[in-house]
């Protein structure tokens, strides 16, 4: 998790610094942090581009159009480098959002280690049905 927290420091999001590190057999396969796509303006430079939506339960959510999440950036880095991630683990500073969790499931990730729970109830049903373990790791 120490490396994951260091990766998160590269985040260009002004709302949360999130890092992700994909690992297999104790070797790092790919890393990612939340921020704008390559060549695009970053939230730190031009501000967030917030939109609001509602969950199926009616809860209001705010997200940023400008930002790609850390988990998706890690998957993109692996794809760009031709690195196979099926069967790998991922360490993230926060539990993945529902969209990232679905992407991790379809990418073949087997275990998600996380430090901070973030809207964990939104992924409960998917977590229960998917063949992906969600494992809390204490800060340290």
């Amino acid at each position: 998790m120490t490396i994951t927290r260091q990766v998160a420091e590269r985040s260009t999001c002004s709302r949360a610094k999130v890092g992700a590190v994909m690992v297999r057999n104790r070797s790092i396969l790919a890393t990612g942090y939340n921020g704008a796509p390559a060549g695009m303006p970053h939230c730190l430079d031009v501000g967030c581009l917030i939109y609001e939506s509602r969950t199926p339960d009616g809860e209001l959510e705010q997200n940023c159009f400008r930002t790609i999440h850390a988990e998706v950036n890690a998957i993109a880095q692996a794809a760009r480098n031709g690195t196979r991630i099926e069967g790998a683990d991922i360490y993230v500073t926060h539990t993945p959002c529902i969209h990232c969790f679905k992407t991790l499931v379809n990418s073949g990730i087997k275990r998600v280690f996380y430090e901070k729970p973030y809207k964990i109830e939104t992924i409960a049903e998917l977590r229960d049905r998917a063949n992906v373990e969600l494992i809390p790791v204490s800060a340290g």
Side-chain angles (χ1 to χ4, degrees):
M1 287 307 295
T2 301
I3 295 170
T4 305
R5 286 190 297 273
Q6 288 297 311
V7 169
E9 288 302 312
R10 294 187 49 84
S11 170
T12 60
C13 176
S14 53
R15 295 173 6 128
K17 290 188 175 290
V18 181
V21 177
M22 291 184 170
V23 176
R24 183 184 304 109
N25 299 327
R26 301 178 54 91
S27 292
I28 295 173
L29 304 174
T31 64
Y33 53 88
N34 54 333
M40 301 298 290
H42 295 279
C43 296
L44 290 177
D45 299 327
V46 295
C48 291
L49 189 57
I50 300 297
Y51 69 93
E52 293 182 345
S53 61
R54 294 210 177 266
T55 68
D57 294 337
E59 180 183 343
L60 183 66
E61 277 195 335
Q62 291 186 333
N63 291 288
C64 181
F65 273 124
R66 202 176 307 284
T67 299
I68 299 175
H69 290 185
E71 301 91 333
V72 173
N73 271 326
I75 291 167
Q77 183 186 77
R80 221 178 18 257
N81 293 327
T83 303
R84 184 181 171 103
I85 59 172
E86 185 176 8
D89 297 333
I90 188 167
Y91 290 79
V92 289
T93 53
H94 301 69
T95 50
C97 73
I98 186 71
H99 306 292
C100 287
F101 195 71
K102 290 186 290 188
T103 304
L104 292 171
V105 168
N106 275 6
S107 297
I109 295 297
K110 291 300 173 192
R111 296 187 299 181
V112 177
F113 295 89
Y114 69 92
E115 190 170 72
K116 299 172 189 167
Y118 173 76
K119 297 185 179 182
I120 197 165
E121 67 282 353
T122 63
I123 61 173
E125 181 182 356
L126 183 57
R127 179 194 64 220
D128 293 343
R129 293 175 180 257
N131 190 22
V132 176
E133 289 182 76
L134 195 60
I135 305 164
V137 176
S138 62

